[in-house]
Amino acid sequence: MNKIVNAISARLSLRKPQKESLEILSDVVDVIEFRRHDSQTLVAELEKIKSLYPSVTDFEREFPSLCFALATGVGKTRLMGAFISYLFLSKGIKNFFVLAPNLTIYNKLIQDFTPNTPKYVFKGIAEFASLPPVIITGENYEDGIGNRNQGSLFNDVHINIFNISKINSEVRGGKAPRIKRLSEYIGESYFEYLASLPDLVLLMDESHRYRASAGVKVLNELKPILGLELTATPQVESGTRTIPFKNVIYSYPLHKAMEDGYVKEPAVATRENFNSRQYTEEQLERLKLEDGILVHEETKVELEVYARQNHHPIVKPFVLIVAQDTTHAGKLMDIIQSEGFFDGRYRNKVITVHSNQSGQEKDETIQELTQLENPASETEIVIHVNMLKEGWDVTNLYTIIPLRAANSKTLVEQSIGRGLRLPYGKRTGVKAVDRLTIIAHDRFQEIVDEANNPNSIIRSGVYIGKDVATEQKQAITSVPKLEQSIVQQIQAQVSAISTSTSEPKQVQTEDVKSVYELAQRKLQAYEHLPSSKYLATGEVKRQLVKEIRSEYLINQLDLFPEQTNALVEQVVEALVEQTIQYSIDIPRIVVQPVGELTWGYHPFELEVSSVNLQPVAEHILIQHLRTHTREILQRNNNQANEERLEDYLISALIDYPDISYDDHAELLYELCNQMVKHLQSYLPDDNAVRNVLQYNQRRLAELIHTQMKNHYYESATSYEVHVSKGFTTFKPVSYTTLLSEGVRPFRQPVEDKSRIRSMVFGGFIKCLYPEQKFDSDSERQFAVICENDPNVDKWFKPLAEHFKIYYNQSNAYEPDFVVETKTSKFICEIKKEKEMEDSIVQAKARAVMEWCTHASKHELEHGGKEWSYLLIPHSDVQENITIDGLKSRYMFQSQ
């Protein structure tokens, strides 16, 4: 593999399709000649390329030109940077011409090729760090910056970035474009200068836009030695015909980008059991608008929660409404801004974009569009009429409401193209964060049918009312009581933080929070101490004060130095005191199973009531109602006749990698025998049973295997244990809840218990967080027990970061509750009564017991408390019981 390719790929963090494209370019430049070509030599170069890549049958230009067809959102601009880097480093090429199809892309390219910008395409290329390429644009080329004879360093790489309209060869008003007019700086036109360069390489962004006769002609006149085309749509539309490019050397379509997780997953949304015929056109439009807002608001909350939980920048999503025409867009604007549309909440949060806009109105709209990714932007809804095309690259478009008449293919392939980019550059695993939703109640089946086309890009549907709540949600961030207590304590003391000057500066709440946040970060470096009590030593507090004060010498508060010193000392004193009082020391103990695992399946009764298969003839014709495709069901003639009926199923079951015939033969025959007996109970004879087993061997085996997995067990022979920390600092946690619900009093019973997961509860006294979420009403009742029990000092529901307890090689256990009483500490788990003996539950319990053993040893050595594990059936969580009462019944003991 080419070393330069690998180096560039690593430095620019290229994705797989980008690296593969660069590898192809490396192959190409090793066989072609870098020179201007006539018709004869061009044919020779084409034959060389065809021998390596047969898909290229014609360059379609008067110079070697190759198309890299990469899906929207994969990263074509970064690939341009990789191409330029490679051609310079491997072949010494220094002159490049980057062509944009419109003003939006033109401005974006200039920004991305400019050093020290967020998406700089050469970031990491050391050769361009000290001497970055010279960027020549339509605005500065007349200054002579691009002419190597006018003071520019000869060794510079020159990158010319132009909009196609600047170079189009068609005469305008009797005059040629300015770039083709004589320049006093160089004695010829700048276009002629470019065409004379011996190593000009042309890069064409959205190259399908340069296939018209004028575009083809002007590019041929530039006489580049090589053309590199990039587009997501490598074809030209001619009337009703689609003409594919003949020079596509690499193709990475959108469905591949989706499979590999480089873009959002498009989904189409409707309501369950929806019948559009029951609505007028106006009612249907209104419903789609309102449901689109429901999806939008839920997405907004999910994005905020994800960002807060993972410490990422908050992404604020917006909705794109596709209007029929400008008149329709105006009516939609009136609806959305009316008081009757969600109480007027979106009145100042919607803009319209269409071709009739001009002057200041258009400038203001364009400015709004460029700011849409900024979380401070007020715009949440964009209404457009066929204006938002290539180059409008945003990552926070999450909901599309198409109200313009269009066929399903157009909706699928064009409208969503604007919203596929991922805000964090990769999938998160959170459906709402990774999904682009199209609201299409009346077109749902049509679009789903189009999605079933092998080349389609939609993969799933969303149902309003089931997948998306019809009630709006909100995000709630629960700040640990530790932080609340410290800020309140310091605020009460700020009046005492004075200075010897006659005009002391006022210590603000922001000052207190700023010092607290730094102190909290510094405190994390001391989590290696055996317990939080060790923070109270004078040496630790003095060191904390020194570190915080030292950082503020660089980033000084707007206070006098003696005020800053006093504030830092008070924050550290309060932080240490409150950390001990408002937290539970949880030792960082990693429990990992090691050595050989024992595994298998517990015996069980097979559930076969749904099996009612019948014998079939030799050939059965099956016709699919929707697609009208046909298939023939026929018996495998190579299948051997088994002596025992059970062996048809056994032979299929032992193909599963998690089944061992030697270890599980007894259970396998018992389960297969149950299936055979069931078939014999309703079929006339064993010949009929054999027929059913032959035709349905795989189906029945999968039914058995699926049930076996529910009875799988795994246990470790030993555990590896490592103690690294004595305590863990507490951080804020974010939740979602219904907007109408707010924070619910935890003692208030929940009538509809199926909704409890969507609720946030508050009103606690002993909980270390002011708000908590529960997975079941039994968990809520357990919180009541903790609050009622006079022996309980504090409790909370822990985060994943608090424990590292692995019950098998890859899965970690996350406890329901941590409780500290006056004498002990507990990990508590609430389980359905029927699940208490489940193999996975028991495996988790054994791992937790191992953790408790080592945690108790660690704590008792440092004046702490003993840990125990309570595995509690939900049926015994009653508000009149105590933690000691539960301990006496349900403390897990090693077996």
Side-chain angles (χ1 to χ4, degrees):
M1 182 59 65
N2 189 307
K3 291 183 179 180
I4 299 178
V5 169
N6 286 337
I8 293 173
S9 298
R11 293 178 194 175
L12 297 183
S13 301
L14 296 186
R15 293 170 166 176
K16 175 186 172 185
Q18 294 167 323
K19 185 179 180 182
E20 289 176 348
S21 297
L22 190 59
E23 290 168 350
I24 290 172
L25 177 64
S26 173
D27 292 342
V28 167
V29 299
D30 283 343
V31 299
I32 66 171
E33 292 185 49
F34 282 125
R35 50 169 289 191
R36 292 193 182 89
H37 294 281
D38 55 30
S39 58
Q40 187 174 354
T41 58
L42 196 63
V43 170
E45 296 302 320
L46 180 61
E47 291 304 316
K48 293 177 185 177
I49 301 298
K50 285 173 66 175
S51 66
L52 294 174
Y53 298 97
S55 63
V56 180
T57 60
D58 194 329
F59 290 139
E60 300 193 270
R61 305 190 190 275
E62 293 177 8
F63 53 89
S65 190
L66 303 168
C67 178
F68 294 81
L70 274 74
T72 299
V74 171
K76 294 190 285 294
T77 308
R78 180 172 289 268
L79 181 57
M80 285 188 201
F83 282 167
I84 291 172
S85 301
Y86 181 80
L87 291 171
F88 171 65
L89 295 175
S90 67
K91 300 298 179 181
I93 294 175
K94 299 171 186 171
N95 291 292
F96 299 89
F97 192 100
V98 178
L99 193 59
N102 58 40
L103 190 60
T104 305
I105 295 181
Y106 170 69
N107 290 328
K108 176 181 178 293
L109 287 171
I110 292 174
Q111 182 180 29
D112 292 348
F113 277 90
T114 300
N116 302 318
T117 53
K119 298 180 181 179
Y120 182 49
V121 296
F122 297 121
K123 191 180 295 182
I125 303 298
E127 290 78 2
F128 291 154
S130 58
L131 190 62
V134 176
I135 306 300
I136 304 101
T137 71
E139 283 68 49
N140 66 12
Y141 75 94
E142 292 181 296
D143 298 338
I145 187 174
N147 183 5
R148 295 188 183 278
N149 300 319
Q150 298 292 322
S152 178
L153 293 173
F154 186 74
N155 289 326
D156 284 357
V157 169
H158 282 196
I159 302 175
N160 296 269
I161 303 176
F162 280 82
N163 187 357
I164 184 65
S165 64
K166 292 281 188 180
I167 67 169
N168 199 312
S169 60
E170 290 181 347
V171 175
R172 307 170 188 181
K175 292 184 179 181
R178 184 178 293 274
I179 195 173
K180 289 191 171 186
R181 300 176 201 170
L182 179 66
S183 169
E184 62 184 52
Y185 287 101
I186 57 178
E188 59 184 338
S189 72
Y190 190 66
F191 190 92
E192 289 172 322
Y193 165 73
L194 290 172
S196 69
L197 293 171
D199 64 343
L200 185 67
V201 171
L202 177 61
L203 294 97
M204 294 161 269
D205 197 6
E206 305 294 352
S207 65
H208 59 282
R209 302 285 292 275
Y210 321 121
R211 294 279 169 151
S213 57
V216 171
K217 182 180 179 183
V218 72
L219 297 185
N220 288 335
E221 290 173 353
L222 271 174
K223 302 175 184 176
I225 60 172
L226 177 65
L228 300 173
E229 306 182 24
L230 296 104
T231 181
T233 52
Q235 69 256 351
V236 174
E237 304 296 331
S238 178
T240 59
R241 291 191 306 144
T242 298
I243 305 172
F245 289 4
K246 298 177 181 178
N247 63 341
V248 176
I249 197 168
Y250 180 75
S251 178
Y252 188 78
L254 196 50
H255 70 85
K256 279 292 296 176
M258 290 176 52
E259 290 171 8
D260 294 339
Y262 293 140
V263 294
K264 294 189 191 112
E265 189 77 46
V268 60
T270 187
R271 286 178 174 253
E272 280 192 303
N273 305 313
F274 184 79
N275 184 353
S276 62
R277 292 190 296 273
Q278 296 176 352
Y279 296 81
T280 66
E281 186 174 342
E282 290 76 15
Q283 290 173 332
L284 179 61
E285 185 170 277
R286 179 69 177 237
L287 181 66
K288 290 167 73 172
L289 288 172
E290 292 176 349
D291 282 352
I293 295 300
L294 291 176
V295 172
H296 164 68
E297 290 295 343
E298 177 163 302
T299 302
K300 185 162 62 174
V301 172
E302 294 290 352
L303 279 163
E304 181 179 344
V305 170
Y306 174 80
R308 293 186 185 281
Q309 289 181 340
N310 295 276
H311 310 293
H312 290 318
I314 292 177
V315 173
K316 184 177 178 180
F318 74 93
V319 180
L320 180 65
I321 300 175
V322 186
Q324 297 171 7
D325 50 40
T326 55
T327 302
H328 185 217
K331 291 180 179 178
L332 293 173
M333 176 71 86
D334 291 341
I335 291 173
I336 293 169
Q337 295 197 104
S338 68
E339 193 65 28
F341 190 78
F342 292 97
D343 299 322
R345 287 204 300 270
Y346 301 93
R347 180 176 294 113
N348 299 315
K349 299 180 179 181
V350 55
I351 61 174
T352 302
V353 185
H354 55 76
S355 56
N356 288 353
Q357 289 173 325
S358 60
Q360 184 178 354
E361 181 187 19
K362 183 175 183 179
D363 293 341
E364 290 175 353
T365 302
I366 294 298
Q367 183 64 25
E368 283 287 340
L369 289 176
T370 60
Q371 292 297 315
L372 278 173
E373 287 184 301
N374 186 341
S377 171
E378 290 293 319
T379 303
E380 293 190 42
I381 301 172
V382 175
I383 304 172
H384 93 90
V385 183
N386 203 28
M387 268 283 289
L388 306 179
K389 299 181 179 179
E390 300 100 343
W392 189 62
D393 293 334
V394 289
T395 61
N396 58 330
L397 172 54
Y398 270 88
T399 308
I400 296 178
I401 309 175
L403 302 178
R404 174 171 57 87
N407 61 44
S408 58
K409 186 177 180 62
T410 301
L411 288 174
V412 171
E413 295 184 357
Q414 294 181 11
S415 297
I416 66 173
R418 306 281 63 81
L420 289 174
R421 286 170 177 79
L422 291 161
Y424 299 112
K426 60 181 181 180
R427 298 266 180 90
T428 65
V430 179
K431 284 185 178 180
V433 178
D434 296 336
R435 184 178 68 213
L436 171 67
T437 306
I438 305 170
I439 309 298
H441 298 53
D442 52 329
R443 311 292 292 279
F444 184 83
Q445 190 58 50
E446 181 181 344
I447 295 177
V448 169
D449 288 349
E450 170 61 27
N452 289 320
N453 183 315
N455 297 319
S456 181
I457 57 177
I458 291 186
R459 292 288 178 264
S460 61
V462 174
Y463 287 91
I464 310 295
K466 182 178 73 173
D467 302 315
V468 175
T470 53
E471 296 182 62
Q472 288 186 305
K473 293 182 179 180
Q474 63 176 323
I476 292 177
T477 298
S478 185
V479 178
K481 286 185 177 178
L482 164 68
E483 180 175 336
Q484 293 180 338
S485 177
I486 289 173
V487 173
Q488 290 169 0
Q489 180 177 332
I490 299 300
Q491 283 177 320
Q493 298 173 353
V494 292
S495 58
I497 301 176
S498 61
T499 178
S500 58
T501 64
S502 59
E503 295 182 2
K505 297 180 179 179
Q506 184 67 40
V507 178
Q508 304 294 329
T509 301
E510 290 72 19
D511 300 330
V512 178
K513 289 185 176 180
S514 182
V515 175
Y516 166 77
E517 289 171 359
L518 176 59
Q520 183 78 351
R521 292 198 300 273
K522 295 293 183 184
L523 187 69
Q524 293 175 17
Y526 292 84
E527 291 179 353
H528 66 278
L529 296 173
S531 79
S532 59
K533 294 178 182 177
Y534 285 73
L535 295 171
T537 62
E539 180 181 352
V540 172
K541 287 193 286 188
R542 283 193 296 273
Q543 183 63 27
L544 273 169
V545 169
K546 180 181 177 182
E547 291 175 8
I548 297 167
R549 193 162 49 200
S550 174
E551 183 155 330
Y552 273 112
L553 289 177
I554 301 172
N555 185 21
Q556 183 71 39
L557 287 171
D558 186 24
L559 299 171
F560 291 114
E562 55 263 46
Q563 285 182 301
T564 298
N565 292 339
L567 178 58
V568 169
E569 289 174 359
Q570 289 198 12
V571 168
V572 169
E573 188 68 37
L575 177 60
V576 168
E577 175 189 330
Q578 302 294 341
T579 297
I580 296 170
Q581 180 178 350
Y582 285 103
S583 64
I584 298 176
D585 283 358
I586 302 174
R588 176 53 59 92
I589 299 174
V590 179
V591 175
Q592 181 76 51
V594 294
E596 185 177 352
L597 291 174
T598 60
W599 62 282
Y601 300 91
H602 294 298
F604 65 96
E605 289 294 319
L606 198 65
E607 173 54 52
V608 294
S609 60
S610 63
V611 177
N612 191 32
L613 297 167
Q614 299 297 323
V616 298
E618 287 300 305
H619 301 288
I620 297 294
L621 173 66
I622 299 175
Q623 179 161 318
H624 295 252
L625 294 177
R626 183 179 58 80
T627 62
H628 308 295
T629 56
R630 295 183 174 187
E631 60 179 293
I632 301 295
L633 178 66
Q634 55 186 1
R635 183 165 60 89
N636 182 356
N637 293 324
N638 297 325
Q639 191 176 38
N641 282 325
E642 303 285 357
E643 290 187 16
R644 298 177 58 177
L645 294 173
E646 291 87 348
D647 286 342
Y648 288 106
L649 301 174
I650 295 289
S651 63
L653 284 166
I654 60 177
D655 287 340
Y656 288 98
D658 56 347
I659 293 178
S660 165
Y661 178 82
D662 293 337
D663 295 332
H664 308 132
E666 183 177 349
L667 175 63
L668 291 176
Y669 271 105
E670 170 60 29
L671 296 175
C672 294
N673 180 257
Q674 292 179 36
M675 179 61 74
V676 168
K677 285 186 175 179
H678 173 71
L679 296 175
Q680 289 173 329
S681 69
Y682 71 85
L683 292 172
D685 52 44
D686 281 357
N687 286 331
V689 172
R690 189 181 302 274
N691 178 290
V692 168
L693 290 170
Q694 287 176 330
Y695 278 103
N696 301 279
Q697 180 185 39
R698 292 291 171 186
R699 184 183 304 173
L700 293 173
E702 178 59 25
L703 176 65
I704 296 172
H705 179 245
T706 299
Q707 294 187 43
M708 288 178 68
K709 287 192 292 187
N710 295 330
H711 298 273
Y712 176 82
Y713 70 85
E714 208 177 77
S715 61
T717 54
S718 62
Y719 295 90
E720 181 178 79
V721 180
H722 175 64
V723 182
S724 61
K725 294 182 180 180
F727 66 98
T728 304
T729 52
F730 282 40
K731 299 178 180 64
V733 60
S734 294
Y735 304 116
T736 61
T737 186
L738 297 176
L739 189 64
S740 59
E741 186 76 48
V743 178
R744 185 185 181 97
F746 77 100
R747 293 184 185 274
Q748 181 179 326
V750 178
E751 294 183 8
D752 185 358
K753 294 179 174 52
S754 65
R755 299 180 61 194
I756 199 165
R757 287 173 179 259
S758 67
M759 300 175 179
V760 174
F761 295 84
F764 312 108
I765 296 175
K766 298 179 181 180
C767 183
L768 298 180
Y769 283 89
E771 296 89 18
Q772 295 276 241
K773 258 199 166 188
F774 301 122
D775 290 332
S776 66
D777 194 53
S778 299
E779 287 193 3
R780 182 193 64 81
Q781 290 179 309
F782 185 81
V784 176
I785 292 172
C786 292
E787 291 287 319
N788 289 345
D789 191 339
N791 197 38
V792 171
D793 282 343
K794 41 198 170 184
W795 66 273
F796 77 113
K797 287 181 68 64
L799 308 177
E801 63 194 51
H802 286 115
F803 289 92
K804 296 291 182 185
I805 306 175
Y806 291 87
Y807 59 92
N808 59 27
Q809 297 290 1
S810 57
N811 297 108
Y813 165 68
E814 296 183 15
D816 286 342
F817 292 87
V818 172
V819 180
E820 182 173 349
T821 67
K822 299 187 183 309
T823 57
S824 304
K825 293 182 181 179
F826 299 93
I827 295 176
C828 303
E829 183 77 16
I830 315 299
K831 277 292 172 193
K832 291 181 180 179
E833 188 171 18
K834 65 181 181 181
E835 295 177 354
M836 291 287 286
E837 299 303 320
D838 179 83
S839 57
I840 299 298
V841 172
Q842 292 294 309
K844 291 178 180 178
R846 288 188 290 272
V848 177
M849 274 300 301
E850 190 73 22
W851 187 94
C852 288
T853 298
H854 292 276
S856 296
K857 180 176 182 296
H858 170 83
E859 288 233 14
L860 294 175
E861 288 174 354
H862 299 282
K865 301 174 181 178
E866 189 173 27
W867 284 85
S868 299
Y869 180 52
L870 306 185
L871 182 57
I872 308 164
H874 79 286
S875 54
D876 258 14
V877 179
Q878 306 293 331
E879 294 182 13
N880 63 340
I881 204 167
T882 64
I883 296 298
D884 281 342
L886 291 171
K887 176 183 176 182
S888 66
R889 302 183 198 178
Y890 301 115
M891 188 170 77
F892 191 84
Q893 303 287 344
S894 298
Q895 303 186 4

